[in-house]
Amino acid sequence: MNFRGKSAVVTGGAGGIGLQVARQLLAAGIGKIAIIDLQDNLEEFVKLRGAHPTQSVMIIKMDVANKKGVEATYEEIKKTFGNIDIVVNVAGIFNDRDVQRTLLVNLGGIINSSLSALQYMSKENGGNGGLVVNMSSVVGLDPMFIIPVYGATKAGIINFTRCLGNEKFYQRSGIKFATVCPGATMTDMFTNFTEKIIFPETSDETYKILDRLNKQSATDVARCIMNVLEKEKNGAVYVIEGKRIVPIDMKPHWTGKEPAL
């Protein structure tokens, strides 16, 4: 994909991986970018605009769990930008003790943003098509017993995105969907980790597990997401680990399913 002159949306772009994705998209020549986040990071946003004065940087404070708010946000972006070519959904939280909020933000937010993007990017509705990349996690592929709620939302993201990455949808909409599953990444999300797990008796084991994990930076993950955007492979699922992307072969297990619709 040639990013120059295109328009992008990044959710969760006020910090961590999302902010790094926004930086790298701008460095690659993206013409217009909308950053959606409930958090403020005025200092970084000023830096982004200062470093890229000829590119449009639109900041929208919005909770991705708010379905109607997200729909209105995409309508505003569409009117301002004209078209939306790329969406990278990064917004997410970790707090297994707050089950409802975790479900609404992590899984609900991805669904809200993806379906709104589908409406405004689809060729059926006058859009140009494009690419949506949704961020899951390796714990959505392989269970980690200390974070079952967070892991469940990430597993749901993989299935949801693979459904939209079906060739039938692409033929109609012109939109490709891909999923990225980062391994352990150094961000602020897991601050005060043991205060957010639902089984406090596992705290000692939790710290042992966290210490043993091979960690990567948010910048490393963002570089890999840029690589995924360049590949433009519909329906693909990638693990991001050790600063590289590894495609995952999602083999079918349901033998009774019809081979094609």
Side-chain angles (χ1 to χ4, degrees):
M1 175 179 285
N2 181 3
F3 299 106
R4 194 158 300 280
K6 287 188 167 57
S7 301
V9 175
V10 179
T11 70
I17 295 170
L19 178 59
Q20 295 302 324
V21 169
R23 283 176 175 165
Q24 293 187 31
L25 282 168
L26 286 163
I30 206 82
K32 303 170 186 175
I33 190 166
I35 296 173
I36 302 172
D37 205 310
L38 188 58
Q39 306 302 318
D40 286 319
N41 194 345
L42 182 60
E43 183 179 348
E44 289 297 336
F45 296 152
V46 169
K47 288 180 182 178
L48 282 181
R49 285 174 168 151
H52 304 278
T54 63
Q55 294 154 272
S56 176
V57 180
M58 184 179 184
I59 310 297
I60 302 173
K61 187 172 183 179
M62 176 54 60
D63 183 355
V64 292
N66 180 347
K67 180 177 180 291
K68 290 185 178 179
V70 171
E71 290 171 349
T73 294
Y74 268 89
E75 183 178 7
E76 179 184 354
I77 295 168
K78 172 72 173 180
K79 287 179 180 177
T80 304
F81 287 178
N83 279 302
I84 301 170
D85 304 296
I86 298 166
V87 174
V88 182
N89 286 313
V90 179
I93 63 170
F94 169 70
N95 188 347
D96 267 24
R97 292 193 184 185
D98 192 342
V99 175
Q100 188 71 4
R101 181 65 179 161
T102 299
L103 291 171
L104 288 174
V105 174
N106 290 7
L107 182 55
I110 290 280
I111 292 173
N112 292 339
S113 180
S114 296
L115 294 183
S116 293
L118 186 64
Q119 178 181 352
Y120 289 104
M121 293 170 67
S122 176
K123 290 181 177 180
E124 289 187 311
N125 298 330
N128 293 333
L131 178 60
V132 177
V133 173
N134 289 335
M135 196 171 78
S136 176
S137 167
V138 291
V139 300
L141 292 164
D142 297 323
M144 182 175 283
F145 74 96
I146 58 176
I147 48 176
V149 179
Y150 179 82
T153 64
K154 295 302 181 176
I157 290 167
I158 295 170
N159 196 297
F160 170 77
T161 310
R162 290 181 67 207
C163 286
L164 293 186
N166 185 279
E167 192 64 23
K168 297 289 184 183
F169 279 125
Y170 175 68
Q171 289 172 7
R172 292 166 51 189
S173 70
I175 305 171
K176 296 178 181 179
F177 287 83
T179 314
V180 292
C181 302
T185 307
M186 294 177 290
T187 69
D188 294 335
M189 181 179 289
F190 294 108
T191 304
N192 302 322
F193 191 90
T194 55
E195 297 176 11
K196 301 174 184 177
I197 58 176
I198 55 178
F199 302 116
E201 65 273 15
T202 67
S203 292
D204 290 343
E205 183 64 23
T206 295
Y207 277 118
K208 291 177 183 177
I209 291 171
L210 292 177
D211 287 341
R212 290 197 300 264
L213 293 175
N214 293 321
K215 300 175 181 66
Q216 58 198 347
S217 72
T219 302
D220 296 329
V221 174
R223 288 195 190 103
C224 290
I225 290 174
M226 294 294 289
N227 196 331
V228 169
L229 290 169
E230 290 167 356
K231 289 181 180 296
E232 295 189 86
K233 187 174 180 181
N234 191 32
V237 180
Y238 300 94
V239 165
I240 299 178
E241 199 164 39
K243 306 179 183 181
R244 63 192 184 97
I245 61 170
V246 180
I248 302 300
D249 183 12
M250 304 293 287
K251 296 181 179 179
H253 299 281
W254 180 17
T255 57
K257 185 175 67 172
E258 290 290 333
L261 293 176

